[in-house]
PDB file of all heavy atoms in Angstrom:
ATOM      1  N   LEU A 252       0.828  -1.210   0.000  1.00 94.00           N
ATOM      2  CA  LEU A 252       0.000   0.000   0.000  1.00 94.00           C
ATOM      3  C   LEU A 252       0.866   1.266   0.000  1.00 94.00           C
ATOM      4  O   LEU A 252       0.613   2.216  -0.764  1.00 94.00           O
ATOM      5  CB  LEU A 252      -0.927  -0.012   1.213  1.00 94.00           C
ATOM      6  CG  LEU A 252      -1.855   1.199   1.367  1.00 94.00           C
ATOM      7  CD1 LEU A 252      -2.799   1.305   0.169  1.00 94.00           C
ATOM      8  CD2 LEU A 252      -2.652   1.102   2.666  1.00 94.00           C
ATOM      9  N   LEU A 253       1.898   1.287   0.836  1.00 93.00           N
ATOM     10  CA  LEU A 253       2.772   2.463   0.905  1.00 93.00           C
ATOM     11  C   LEU A 253       3.514   2.683  -0.408  1.00 93.00           C
ATOM     12  O   LEU A 253       3.621   3.823  -0.895  1.00 93.00           O
ATOM     13  CB  LEU A 253       3.765   2.308   2.060  1.00 93.00           C
ATOM     14  CG  LEU A 253       3.194   2.355   3.475  1.00 93.00           C
ATOM     15  CD1 LEU A 253       4.281   2.088   4.502  1.00 93.00           C
ATOM     16  CD2 LEU A 253       2.536   3.706   3.734  1.00 93.00           C
ATOM     17  N   VAL A 254       4.035   1.611  -0.989  1.00 93.00           N
ATOM     18  CA  VAL A 254       4.764   1.744  -2.249  1.00 93.00           C
ATOM     19  C   VAL A 254       3.832   2.171  -3.380  1.00 93.00           C
ATOM     20  O   VAL A 254       4.203   2.991  -4.229  1.00 93.00           O
ATOM     21  CB  VAL A 254       5.475   0.415  -2.587  1.00 93.00           C
ATOM     22  CG1 VAL A 254       6.092   0.479  -3.982  1.00 93.00           C
ATOM     23  CG2 VAL A 254       6.554   0.126  -1.562  1.00 93.00           C
ATOM     24  N   GLU A 255       2.602   1.646  -3.382  1.00 93.00           N
ATOM     25  CA  GLU A 255       1.645   2.040  -4.419  1.00 93.00           C
ATOM     26  C   GLU A 255       1.317   3.529  -4.308  1.00 93.00           C
ATOM     27  O   GLU A 255       1.300   4.245  -5.315  1.00 93.00           O
ATOM     28  CB  GLU A 255       0.356   1.214  -4.274  1.00 93.00           C
ATOM     29  CG  GLU A 255       0.496  -0.244  -4.642  1.00 93.00           C
ATOM     30  CD  GLU A 255       0.485  -0.472  -6.136  1.00 93.00           C
ATOM     31  OE1 GLU A 255       0.251   0.493  -6.888  1.00 93.00           O
ATOM     32  OE2 GLU A 255       0.711  -1.618  -6.565  1.00 93.00           O
ATOM     33  N   VAL A 256       1.064   4.002  -3.092  1.00 94.00           N
ATOM     34  CA  VAL A 256       0.729   5.413  -2.903  1.00 94.00           C
ATOM     35  C   VAL A 256       1.907   6.301  -3.308  1.00 94.00           C
ATOM     36  O   VAL A 256       1.740   7.290  -4.037  1.00 94.00           O
ATOM     37  CB  VAL A 256       0.327   5.677  -1.439  1.00 94.00           C
ATOM     38  CG1 VAL A 256       0.181   7.172  -1.184  1.00 94.00           C
ATOM     39  CG2 VAL A 256      -0.978   4.960  -1.117  1.00 94.00           C
ATOM     40  N   PHE A 257       3.101   5.964  -2.849  1.00 94.00           N
ATOM     41  CA  PHE A 257       4.277   6.764  -3.176  1.00 94.00           C
ATOM     42  C   PHE A 257       4.575   6.729  -4.677  1.00 94.00           C
ATOM     43  O   PHE A 257       4.872   7.760  -5.281  1.00 94.00           O
ATOM     44  CB  PHE A 257       5.478   6.241  -2.392  1.00 94.00           C
ATOM     45  CG  PHE A 257       6.749   6.984  -2.692  1.00 94.00           C
ATOM     46  CD1 PHE A 257       6.996   8.215  -2.115  1.00 94.00           C
ATOM     47  CD2 PHE A 257       7.697   6.452  -3.555  1.00 94.00           C
ATOM     48  CE1 PHE A 257       8.164   8.916  -2.391  1.00 94.00           C
ATOM     49  CE2 PHE A 257       8.866   7.135  -3.839  1.00 94.00           C
ATOM     50  CZ  PHE A 257       9.101   8.373  -3.253  1.00 94.00           C
ATOM     51  N   GLY A 258       4.492   5.549  -5.288  1.00 94.00           N
ATOM     52  CA  GLY A 258       4.790   5.420  -6.713  1.00 94.00           C
ATOM     53  C   GLY A 258       3.799   6.161  -7.587  1.00 94.00           C
ATOM     54  O   GLY A 258       4.192   6.853  -8.534  1.00 94.00           O
ATOM     55  N   LEU A 259       2.500   6.036  -7.289  1.00 93.00           N
ATOM     56  CA  LEU A 259       1.495   6.734  -8.092  1.00 93.00           C
ATOM     57  C   LEU A 259       1.583   8.242  -7.901  1.00 93.00           C
ATOM     58  O   LEU A 259       1.382   9.004  -8.854  1.00 93.00           O
ATOM     59  CB  LEU A 259       0.096   6.227  -7.709  1.00 93.00           C
ATOM     60  CG  LEU A 259      -0.206   4.768  -8.088  1.00 93.00           C
ATOM     61  CD1 LEU A 259      -1.580   4.366  -7.592  1.00 93.00           C
ATOM     62  CD2 LEU A 259      -0.109   4.560  -9.600  1.00 93.00           C
ATOM     63  N   THR A 260       1.885   8.683  -6.671  1.00 94.00           N
ATOM     64  CA  THR A 260       2.051  10.119  -6.429  1.00 94.00           C
ATOM     65  C   THR A 260       3.242  10.667  -7.211  1.00 94.00           C
ATOM     66  O   THR A 260       3.173  11.735  -7.834  1.00 94.00           O
ATOM     67  CB  THR A 260       2.238  10.396  -4.933  1.00 94.00           C
ATOM     68  OG1 THR A 260       1.117   9.873  -4.208  1.00 94.00           O
ATOM     69  CG2 THR A 260       2.350  11.887  -4.661  1.00 94.00           C
ATOM     70  N   TYR A 261       4.336   9.928  -7.184  1.00 94.00           N
ATOM     71  CA  TYR A 261       5.522  10.356  -7.937  1.00 94.00           C
ATOM     72  C   TYR A 261       5.222  10.383  -9.434  1.00 94.00           C
ATOM     73  O   TYR A 261       5.649  11.310 -10.147  1.00 94.00           O
ATOM     74  CB  TYR A 261       6.682   9.418  -7.643  1.00 94.00           C
ATOM     75  CG  TYR A 261       7.928   9.728  -8.432  1.00 94.00           C
ATOM     76  CD1 TYR A 261       8.806  10.729  -8.019  1.00 94.00           C
ATOM     77  CD2 TYR A 261       8.233   9.033  -9.604  1.00 94.00           C
ATOM     78  CE1 TYR A 261       9.942  11.032  -8.745  1.00 94.00           C
ATOM     79  CE2 TYR A 261       9.371   9.324 -10.335  1.00 94.00           C
ATOM     80  CZ  TYR A 261      10.217  10.324  -9.897  1.00 94.00           C
ATOM     81  OH  TYR A 261      11.340  10.624 -10.630  1.00 94.00           O
ATOM     82  N   ALA A 262       4.495   9.377  -9.931  1.00 93.00           N
ATOM     83  CA  ALA A 262       4.159   9.336 -11.361  1.00 93.00           C
ATOM     84  C   ALA A 262       3.272  10.517 -11.749  1.00 93.00           C
ATOM     85  O   ALA A 262       3.439  11.100 -12.836  1.00 93.00           O
ATOM     86  CB  ALA A 262       3.462   8.021 -11.697  1.00 93.00           C
ATOM     87  N   TYR A 263       2.340  10.880 -10.863  1.00 92.00           N
ATOM     88  CA  TYR A 263       1.467  12.013 -11.160  1.00 92.00           C
ATOM     89  C   TYR A 263       2.266  13.315 -11.276  1.00 92.00           C
ATOM     90  O   TYR A 263       2.087  14.084 -12.227  1.00 92.00           O
ATOM     91  CB  TYR A 263       0.404  12.146 -10.060  1.00 92.00           C
ATOM     92  CG  TYR A 263      -0.355  13.442 -10.095  1.00 92.00           C
ATOM     93  CD1 TYR A 263      -1.307  13.688 -11.080  1.00 92.00           C
ATOM     94  CD2 TYR A 263      -0.122  14.437  -9.144  1.00 92.00           C
ATOM     95  CE1 TYR A 263      -2.004  14.884 -11.122  1.00 92.00           C
ATOM     96  CE2 TYR A 263      -0.813  15.632  -9.179  1.00 92.00           C
ATOM     97  CZ  TYR A 263      -1.754  15.852 -10.165  1.00 92.00           C
ATOM     98  OH  TYR A 263      -2.433  17.035 -10.206  1.00 92.00           O
ATOM     99  N   PHE A 264       3.158  13.567 -10.314  1.00 93.00           N
ATOM    100  CA  PHE A 264       3.952  14.795 -10.359  1.00 93.00           C
ATOM    101  C   PHE A 264       4.947  14.774 -11.517  1.00 93.00           C
ATOM    102  O   PHE A 264       5.272  15.818 -12.090  1.00 93.00           O
ATOM    103  CB  PHE A 264       4.681  15.007  -9.034  1.00 93.00           C
ATOM    104  CG  PHE A 264       3.778  15.517  -7.941  1.00 93.00           C
ATOM    105  CD1 PHE A 264       3.371  14.688  -6.912  1.00 93.00           C
ATOM    106  CD2 PHE A 264       3.337  16.826  -7.949  1.00 93.00           C
ATOM    107  CE1 PHE A 264       2.541  15.153  -5.916  1.00 93.00           C
ATOM    108  CE2 PHE A 264       2.511  17.305  -6.952  1.00 93.00           C
ATOM    109  CZ  PHE A 264       2.102  16.468  -5.931  1.00 93.00           C
ATOM    110  N   TRP A 265       5.427  13.578 -11.877  1.00 93.00           N
ATOM    111  CA  TRP A 265       6.334  13.481 -13.020  1.00 93.00           C
ATOM    112  C   TRP A 265       5.612  13.850 -14.311  1.00 93.00           C
ATOM    113  O   TRP A 265       6.156  14.589 -15.147  1.00 93.00           O
ATOM    114  CB  TRP A 265       6.901  12.072 -13.111  1.00 93.00           C
ATOM    115  CG  TRP A 265       7.854  11.889 -14.238  1.00 93.00           C
ATOM    116  CD1 TRP A 265       9.175  12.234 -14.269  1.00 93.00           C
ATOM    117  CD2 TRP A 265       7.562  11.331 -15.538  1.00 93.00           C
ATOM    118  NE1 TRP A 265       9.725  11.925 -15.492  1.00 93.00           N
ATOM    119  CE2 TRP A 265       8.767  11.376 -16.286  1.00 93.00           C
ATOM    120  CE3 TRP A 265       6.408  10.802 -16.108  1.00 93.00           C
ATOM    121  CZ2 TRP A 265       8.829  10.894 -17.586  1.00 93.00           C
ATOM    122  CZ3 TRP A 265       6.470  10.344 -17.414  1.00 93.00           C
ATOM    123  CH2 TRP A 265       7.674  10.376 -18.137  1.00 93.00           C
ATOM    124  N   LEU A 266       4.399  13.354 -14.491  1.00 91.00           N
ATOM    125  CA  LEU A 266       3.614  13.710 -15.668  1.00 91.00           C
ATOM    126  C   LEU A 266       3.298  15.206 -15.687  1.00 91.00           C
ATOM    127  O   LEU A 266       3.355  15.852 -16.736  1.00 91.00           O
ATOM    128  CB  LEU A 266       2.312  12.903 -15.692  1.00 91.00           C
ATOM    129  CG  LEU A 266       2.418  11.413 -16.000  1.00 91.00           C
ATOM    130  CD1 LEU A 266       1.060  10.737 -15.811  1.00 91.00           C
ATOM    131  CD2 LEU A 266       2.926  11.178 -17.407  1.00 91.00           C
ATOM    132  N   LYS A 267       2.978  15.741 -14.513  1.00 90.00           N
ATOM    133  CA  LYS A 267       2.650  17.166 -14.419  1.00 90.00           C
ATOM    134  C   LYS A 267       3.859  18.031 -14.774  1.00 90.00           C
ATOM    135  O   LYS A 267       3.734  19.017 -15.520  1.00 90.00           O
ATOM    136  CB  LYS A 267       2.161  17.472 -13.004  1.00 90.00           C
ATOM    137  CG  LYS A 267       1.557  18.844 -12.829  1.00 90.00           C
ATOM    138  CD  LYS A 267       0.992  18.993 -11.436  1.00 90.00           C
ATOM    139  CE  LYS A 267       0.366  20.376 -11.253  1.00 90.00           C
ATOM    140  NZ  LYS A 267      -0.196  20.522  -9.882  1.00 90.00           N
ATOM    141  N   ASN A 268       5.022  17.675 -14.253  1.00 91.00           N
ATOM    142  CA  ASN A 268       6.233  18.438 -14.559  1.00 91.00           C
ATOM    143  C   ASN A 268       6.638  18.299 -16.021  1.00 91.00           C
ATOM    144  O   ASN A 268       7.129  19.259 -16.634  1.00 91.00           O
ATOM    145  CB  ASN A 268       7.380  17.986 -13.656  1.00 91.00           C
ATOM    146  CG  ASN A 268       7.149  18.341 -12.203  1.00 91.00           C
ATOM    147  OD1 ASN A 268       6.467  19.319 -11.899  1.00 91.00           O
ATOM    148  ND2 ASN A 268       7.703  17.558 -11.299  1.00 91.00           N
ATOM    149  N   ARG A 269       6.443  17.099 -16.581  1.00 90.00           N
ATOM    150  CA  ARG A 269       6.775  16.911 -17.992  1.00 90.00           C
ATOM    151  C   ARG A 269       5.878  17.763 -18.879  1.00 90.00           C
ATOM    152  O   ARG A 269       6.352  18.369 -19.849  1.00 90.00           O
ATOM    153  CB  ARG A 269       6.622  15.435 -18.371  1.00 90.00           C
ATOM    154  CG  ARG A 269       7.076  15.120 -19.784  1.00 90.00           C
ATOM    155  CD  ARG A 269       6.756  13.694 -20.170  1.00 90.00           C
ATOM    156  NE  ARG A 269       5.335  13.452 -20.247  1.00 90.00           N
ATOM    157  CZ  ARG A 269       4.784  12.340 -20.733  1.00 90.00           C
ATOM    158  NH1 ARG A 269       5.555  11.372 -21.167  1.00 90.00           N
ATOM    159  NH2 ARG A 269       3.475  12.190 -20.764  1.00 90.00           N
ATOM    160  N   GLU A 270       4.593  17.848 -18.543  1.00 90.00           N
ATOM    161  CA  GLU A 270       3.683  18.670 -19.334  1.00 90.00           C
ATOM    162  C   GLU A 270       4.054  20.146 -19.227  1.00 90.00           C
ATOM    163  O   GLU A 270       4.029  20.877 -20.225  1.00 90.00           O
ATOM    164  CB  GLU A 270       2.250  18.458 -18.864  1.00 90.00           C
ATOM    165  CG  GLU A 270       1.240  19.247 -19.686  1.00 90.00           C
ATOM    166  CD  GLU A 270      -0.167  19.115 -19.143  1.00 90.00           C
ATOM    167  OE1 GLU A 270      -0.346  19.293 -17.923  1.00 90.00           O
ATOM    168  OE2 GLU A 270      -1.082  18.852 -19.929  1.00 90.00           O
ATOM    169  N   ARG A 271       4.401  20.587 -18.019  1.00 89.00           N
ATOM    170  CA  ARG A 271       4.782  21.989 -17.863  1.00 89.00           C
ATOM    171  C   ARG A 271       6.058  22.304 -18.644  1.00 89.00           C
ATOM    172  O   ARG A 271       6.184  23.380 -19.240  1.00 89.00           O
ATOM    173  CB  ARG A 271       4.980  22.308 -16.382  1.00 89.00           C
ATOM    174  CG  ARG A 271       5.410  23.748 -16.142  1.00 89.00           C
ATOM    175  CD  ARG A 271       5.153  24.181 -14.741  1.00 89.00           C
ATOM    176  NE  ARG A 271       5.323  25.617 -14.593  1.00 89.00           N
ATOM    177  CZ  ARG A 271       4.869  26.337 -13.592  1.00 89.00           C
ATOM    178  NH1 ARG A 271       4.184  25.736 -12.634  1.00 89.00           N
ATOM    179  NH2 ARG A 271       5.073  27.625 -13.519  1.00 89.00           N
ATOM    180  N   LYS A 272       6.985  21.365 -18.649  1.00 87.00           N
ATOM    181  CA  LYS A 272       8.217  21.572 -19.407  1.00 87.00           C
ATOM    182  C   LYS A 272       7.921  21.696 -20.896  1.00 87.00           C
ATOM    183  O   LYS A 272       8.462  22.588 -21.572  1.00 87.00           O
ATOM    184  CB  LYS A 272       9.174  20.412 -19.154  1.00 87.00           C
ATOM    185  CG  LYS A 272      10.506  20.547 -19.862  1.00 87.00           C
ATOM    186  CD  LYS A 272      11.415  19.376 -19.548  1.00 87.00           C
ATOM    187  CE  LYS A 272      12.738  19.501 -20.290  1.00 87.00           C
ATOM    188  NZ  LYS A 272      13.633  18.336 -20.006  1.00 87.00           N
ATOM    189  N   HIS A 273       7.064  20.834 -21.421  1.00 88.00           N
ATOM    190  CA  HIS A 273       6.693  20.925 -22.825  1.00 88.00           C
ATOM    191  C   HIS A 273       5.962  22.231 -23.127  1.00 88.00           C
ATOM    192  O   HIS A 273       6.160  22.837 -24.191  1.00 88.00           O
ATOM    193  CB  HIS A 273       5.813  19.735 -23.212  1.00 88.00           C
ATOM    194  CG  HIS A 273       6.546  18.440 -23.230  1.00 88.00           C
ATOM    195  ND1 HIS A 273       5.894  17.217 -23.304  1.00 88.00           N
ATOM    196  CD2 HIS A 273       7.876  18.152 -23.165  1.00 88.00           C
ATOM    197  CE1 HIS A 273       6.797  16.249 -23.299  1.00 88.00           C
ATOM    198  NE2 HIS A 273       8.003  16.792 -23.220  1.00 88.00           N
ATOM    199  N   PHE A 274       5.120  22.664 -22.180  1.00 89.00           N
ATOM    200  CA  PHE A 274       4.407  23.923 -22.376  1.00 89.00           C
ATOM    201  C   PHE A 274       5.380  25.099 -22.445  1.00 89.00           C
ATOM    202  O   PHE A 274       5.264  25.964 -23.325  1.00 89.00           O
ATOM    203  CB  PHE A 274       3.411  24.127 -21.241  1.00 89.00           C
ATOM    204  CG  PHE A 274       2.831  25.516 -21.178  1.00 89.00           C
ATOM    205  CD1 PHE A 274       1.785  25.871 -22.008  1.00 89.00           C
ATOM    206  CD2 PHE A 274       3.338  26.457 -20.297  1.00 89.00           C
ATOM    207  CE1 PHE A 274       1.243  27.152 -21.967  1.00 89.00           C
ATOM    208  CE2 PHE A 274       2.813  27.741 -20.248  1.00 89.00           C
ATOM    209  CZ  PHE A 274       1.765  28.091 -21.079  1.00 89.00           C
ATOM    210  N   GLU A 275       6.335  25.141 -21.529  1.00 84.00           N
ATOM    211  CA  GLU A 275       7.286  26.254 -21.507  1.00 84.00           C
ATOM    212  C   GLU A 275       8.183  26.261 -22.732  1.00 84.00           C
ATOM    213  O   GLU A 275       8.691  27.321 -23.122  1.00 84.00           O
ATOM    214  CB  GLU A 275       8.132  26.170 -20.236  1.00 84.00           C
ATOM    215  CG  GLU A 275       7.334  26.440 -18.962  1.00 84.00           C
ATOM    216  CD  GLU A 275       8.155  26.252 -17.710  1.00 84.00           C
ATOM    217  OE1 GLU A 275       9.300  25.728 -17.823  1.00 84.00           O
ATOM    218  OE2 GLU A 275       7.675  26.609 -16.623  1.00 84.00           O
ATOM    219  N   GLU A 276       8.383  25.107 -23.353  1.00 84.00           N
ATOM    220  CA  GLU A 276       9.177  25.062 -24.572  1.00 84.00           C
ATOM    221  C   GLU A 276       8.388  25.485 -25.805  1.00 84.00           C
ATOM    222  O   GLU A 276       8.956  26.052 -26.745  1.00 84.00           O
ATOM    223  CB  GLU A 276       9.727  23.639 -24.773  1.00 84.00           C
ATOM    224  CG  GLU A 276      10.772  23.225 -23.741  1.00 84.00           C
ATOM    225  CD  GLU A 276      11.223  21.794 -23.937  1.00 84.00           C
ATOM    226  OE1 GLU A 276      10.605  21.097 -24.780  1.00 84.00           O
ATOM    227  OE2 GLU A 276      12.157  21.374 -23.234  1.00 84.00           O
ATOM    228  N   SER A 277       7.076  25.216 -25.813  1.00 87.00           N
ATOM    229  CA  SER A 277       6.270  25.480 -27.006  1.00 87.00           C
ATOM    230  C   SER A 277       5.554  26.819 -26.961  1.00 87.00           C
ATOM    231  O   SER A 277       5.291  27.404 -28.022  1.00 87.00           O
ATOM    232  CB  SER A 277       5.228  24.356 -27.185  1.00 87.00           C
ATOM    233  OG  SER A 277       5.850  23.100 -27.311  1.00 87.00           O
ATOM    234  N   PHE A 278       5.225  27.307 -25.776  1.00 88.00           N
ATOM    235  CA  PHE A 278       4.406  28.518 -25.687  1.00 88.00           C
ATOM    236  C   PHE A 278       5.087  29.749 -26.287  1.00 88.00           C
ATOM    237  O   PHE A 278       4.415  30.561 -26.948  1.00 88.00           O
ATOM    238  CB  PHE A 278       4.019  28.766 -24.235  1.00 88.00           C
ATOM    239  CG  PHE A 278       3.012  29.866 -24.057  1.00 88.00           C
ATOM    240  CD1 PHE A 278       1.794  29.832 -24.723  1.00 88.00           C
ATOM    241  CD2 PHE A 278       3.279  30.947 -23.231  1.00 88.00           C
ATOM    242  CE1 PHE A 278       0.871  30.850 -24.570  1.00 88.00           C
ATOM    243  CE2 PHE A 278       2.361  31.958 -23.068  1.00 88.00           C
ATOM    244  CZ  PHE A 278       1.151  31.917 -23.735  1.00 88.00           C
ATOM    245  N   PRO A 279       6.399  29.979 -26.069  1.00 84.00           N
ATOM    246  CA  PRO A 279       7.024  31.133 -26.741  1.00 84.00           C
ATOM    247  C   PRO A 279       6.916  31.079 -28.260  1.00 84.00           C
ATOM    248  O   PRO A 279       6.756  32.122 -28.911  1.00 84.00           O
ATOM    249  CB  PRO A 279       8.487  31.051 -26.274  1.00 84.00           C
ATOM    250  CG  PRO A 279       8.424  30.362 -24.961  1.00 84.00           C
ATOM    251  CD  PRO A 279       7.332  29.357 -25.116  1.00 84.00           C
ATOM    252  N   ASP A 280       6.991  29.877 -28.839  1.00 86.00           N
ATOM    253  CA  ASP A 280       6.822  29.761 -30.295  1.00 86.00           C
ATOM    254  C   ASP A 280       5.400  30.135 -30.707  1.00 86.00           C
ATOM    255  O   ASP A 280       5.193  30.763 -31.756  1.00 86.00           O
ATOM    256  CB  ASP A 280       7.138  28.334 -30.740  1.00 86.00           C
ATOM    257  CG  ASP A 280       8.582  27.953 -30.466  1.00 86.00           C
ATOM    258  OD1 ASP A 280       9.439  28.853 -30.465  1.00 86.00           O
ATOM    259  OD2 ASP A 280       8.856  26.756 -30.239  1.00 86.00           O
ATOM    260  N   ALA A 281       4.414  29.738 -29.865  1.00 88.00           N
ATOM    261  CA  ALA A 281       3.028  30.111 -30.158  1.00 88.00           C
ATOM    262  C   ALA A 281       2.847  31.630 -30.104  1.00 88.00           C
ATOM    263  O   ALA A 281       2.160  32.215 -30.949  1.00 88.00           O
ATOM    264  CB  ALA A 281       2.085  29.419 -29.170  1.00 88.00           C
ATOM    265  N   LEU A 282       3.469  32.275 -29.126  1.00 86.00           N
ATOM    266  CA  LEU A 282       3.384  33.731 -29.034  1.00 86.00           C
ATOM    267  C   LEU A 282       4.044  34.396 -30.240  1.00 86.00           C
ATOM    268  O   LEU A 282       3.545  35.414 -30.751  1.00 86.00           O
ATOM    269  CB  LEU A 282       4.054  34.212 -27.750  1.00 86.00           C
ATOM    270  CG  LEU A 282       3.314  33.932 -26.437  1.00 86.00           C
ATOM    271  CD1 LEU A 282       4.129  34.438 -25.264  1.00 86.00           C
ATOM    272  CD2 LEU A 282       1.937  34.575 -26.443  1.00 86.00           C
ATOM    273  N   ASN A 283       5.149  33.834 -30.681  1.00 85.00           N
ATOM    274  CA  ASN A 283       5.838  34.390 -31.849  1.00 85.00           C
ATOM    275  C   ASN A 283       4.964  34.295 -33.102  1.00 85.00           C
ATOM    276  O   ASN A 283       4.863  35.249 -33.901  1.00 85.00           O
ATOM    277  CB  ASN A 283       7.155  33.654 -32.049  1.00 85.00           C
ATOM    278  CG  ASN A 283       8.063  34.355 -33.041  1.00 85.00           C
ATOM    279  OD1 ASN A 283       7.925  35.549 -33.291  1.00 85.00           O
ATOM    280  ND2 ASN A 283       8.988  33.612 -33.608  1.00 85.00           N
ATOM    281  N   MET A 284       4.324  33.130 -33.293  1.00 88.00           N
ATOM    282  CA  MET A 284       3.423  32.973 -34.436  1.00 88.00           C
ATOM    283  C   MET A 284       2.229  33.916 -34.338  1.00 88.00           C
ATOM    284  O   MET A 284       1.803  34.523 -35.330  1.00 88.00           O
ATOM    285  CB  MET A 284       2.924  31.526 -34.514  1.00 88.00           C
ATOM    286  CG  MET A 284       3.983  30.512 -34.874  1.00 88.00           C
ATOM    287  SD  MET A 284       3.293  28.837 -34.996  1.00 88.00           S
ATOM    288  CE  MET A 284       4.775  27.910 -35.376  1.00 88.00           C
ATOM    289  N   LEU A 285       1.674  34.041 -33.126  1.00 87.00           N
ATOM    290  CA  LEU A 285       0.519  34.912 -32.939  1.00 87.00           C
ATOM    291  C   LEU A 285       0.880  36.369 -33.219  1.00 87.00           C
ATOM    292  O   LEU A 285       0.122  37.096 -33.874  1.00 87.00           O
ATOM    293  CB  LEU A 285      -0.005  34.765 -31.512  1.00 87.00           C
ATOM    294  CG  LEU A 285      -1.317  35.485 -31.183  1.00 87.00           C
ATOM    295  CD1 LEU A 285      -2.466  34.877 -31.973  1.00 87.00           C
ATOM    296  CD2 LEU A 285      -1.605  35.411 -29.691  1.00 87.00           C
ATOM    297  N   SER A 286       2.048  36.781 -32.730  1.00 83.00           N
ATOM    298  CA  SER A 286       2.497  38.156 -32.977  1.00 83.00           C
ATOM    299  C   SER A 286       2.716  38.405 -34.461  1.00 83.00           C
ATOM    300  O   SER A 286       2.362  39.467 -34.988  1.00 83.00           O
ATOM    301  CB  SER A 286       3.785  38.419 -32.194  1.00 83.00           C
ATOM    302  OG  SER A 286       4.267  39.715 -32.436  1.00 83.00           O
ATOM    303  N   SER A 287       3.274  37.418 -35.165  1.00 85.00           N
ATOM    304  CA  SER A 287       3.503  37.574 -36.613  1.00 85.00           C
ATOM    305  C   SER A 287       2.193  37.665 -37.377  1.00 85.00           C
ATOM    306  O   SER A 287       2.051  38.472 -38.307  1.00 85.00           O
ATOM    307  CB  SER A 287       4.342  36.405 -37.128  1.00 85.00           C
ATOM    308  OG  SER A 287       5.594  36.338 -36.480  1.00 85.00           O
ATOM    309  N   ALA A 288       1.209  36.848 -36.970  1.00 86.00           N
ATOM    310  CA  ALA A 288      -0.083  36.881 -37.654  1.00 86.00           C
ATOM    311  C   ALA A 288      -0.807  38.204 -37.420  1.00 86.00           C
ATOM    312  O   ALA A 288      -1.412  38.764 -38.341  1.00 86.00           O
ATOM    313  CB  ALA A 288      -0.942  35.715 -37.179  1.00 86.00           C
ATOM    314  N   VAL A 289      -0.750  38.709 -36.188  1.00 82.00           N
ATOM    315  CA  VAL A 289      -1.382  39.996 -35.894  1.00 82.00           C
ATOM    316  C   VAL A 289      -0.688  41.115 -36.649  1.00 82.00           C
ATOM    317  O   VAL A 289      -1.324  42.045 -37.160  1.00 82.00           O
ATOM    318  CB  VAL A 289      -1.368  40.250 -34.365  1.00 82.00           C
ATOM    319  CG1 VAL A 289      -1.836  41.664 -34.052  1.00 82.00           C
ATOM    320  CG2 VAL A 289      -2.257  39.244 -33.654  1.00 82.00           C
TER     321      VAL A 289
END
């Protein structure tokens, strides 16, 4: 039970951090495209 709780919690935060990292890498490019289109 303890290992399951710790492992799933770690997996959740790992997925969350990975998504934020991808967002921070892609969002400036989106702003650049949006600024160019405007």
Side-chain angles (χ1 to χ4, degrees):
L252 179 61
L253 292 176
V254 173
E255 290 282 354
V256 171
F257 178 79
L259 292 177
T260 303
Y261 177 82
Y263 167 73
F264 283 106
W265 181 81
L266 289 173
K267 190 175 181 180
N268 293 332
R269 186 187 66 171
E270 182 184 49
R271 179 160 191 163
K272 182 179 179 181
H273 291 168
F274 168 81
E275 292 176 350
E276 292 177 352
S277 301
F278 189 55
D280 297 331
L282 288 179
N283 192 22
M284 292 182 182
L285 187 66
S286 178
S287 300
V289 172

